[in-house]
Amino acid sequence: MDGRNPLPTTADARRDHDENDGPHEDIREPKPCIAYIRVSTRQQGRSGLGLEAQQDVIEQFCKRERFEVAKDGKGEPLMFVEVESAKGDTLSRRPKLKAALAVARRMRDDDYGRAPIIVAKLDRLSRDVHFILGLMTERVPFICADLGTDTDPFMLHIHFHPHQGGPRTR
């Protein structure tokens, strides 16, 4: 580990081996997290366009980085899916994100303080830097699967700057 990330990454686990006996098994317990998926249009939501892709990205990221989407009282994964445009972003227009934040605040974590919310890409959270900065004041960590676990809040801000309002999904 390089000291920036409280959790060892998969790369750290891969380095933990010697040439004679091969790689050691990764025995870290999965960390609990919340998944958040957003599509912009009702048509995308009805067709599933984008929803499955984001879910796959989050699942692969969780598997690789040793996270596990926490379960609710009924045993269902805490995966919040929202069909809402990012135009005019406010938490009042994002009830599923607001609910994810509330659940994450109640879940304590030794490394992150609270359970992180994982999104597939930063622009699925928002393309509005001011909205993202507002979310940072909620004191719930966000992890973008495309940026990795080493991306702290300052780096999230840096990723927005060149794009004048955030990166675009193609």
Side-chain angles (χ1 to χ4, degrees), residues 136-165:
M136 289 178 187
T137 66
E138 298 286 331
R139 301 211 182 268
V140 170
F142 287 90
I143 298 175
C144 302
D146 64 329
L147 300 175
T149 58
D150 289 336
T151 306
D152 61 22
F154 176 75
M155 290 307 296
L156 287 178
H157 188 251
I158 297 295
H159 282 282
F160 263 96
H161 250 298
H163 301 285
Q164 296 293 321

Side-chain angles (χ1 to χ4, degrees), residues 5-7 9 19 23-24 30 44 46 56 59 86 98 102 108-109 138-139 158 163 167 169-170:
N5 182 1
L7 296 174
T9 64
E19 294 176 17
H24 295 274
Q44 286 175 328
R46 282 192 304 272
D56 288 346
E59 286 174 359
K98 193 173 183 178
R108 298 290 174 217
D109 179 81
E138 298 286 331
R139 301 211 182 268
I158 297 295
H163 301 285
T169 302
R170 294 179 189 224

Side-chain angles (χ1 to χ4, degrees), residues 6 12 15 31 49 66 70 73-76 81 83 93 103 107 117 122 124 129-130 132 143 145 151 156 164:
D12 295 324
R15 281 192 301 266
K31 302 293 294 174
L49 182 65
R66 304 290 295 169
K74 298 175 188 172
E76 296 294 319
V81 177
V83 179
R93 292 191 55 182
V103 170
M107 294 176 64
I117 295 175
L122 184 58
R124 297 298 78 207
V129 68
H130 300 290
I132 296 291
I143 298 175
T151 306
L156 287 178
Q164 296 293 321

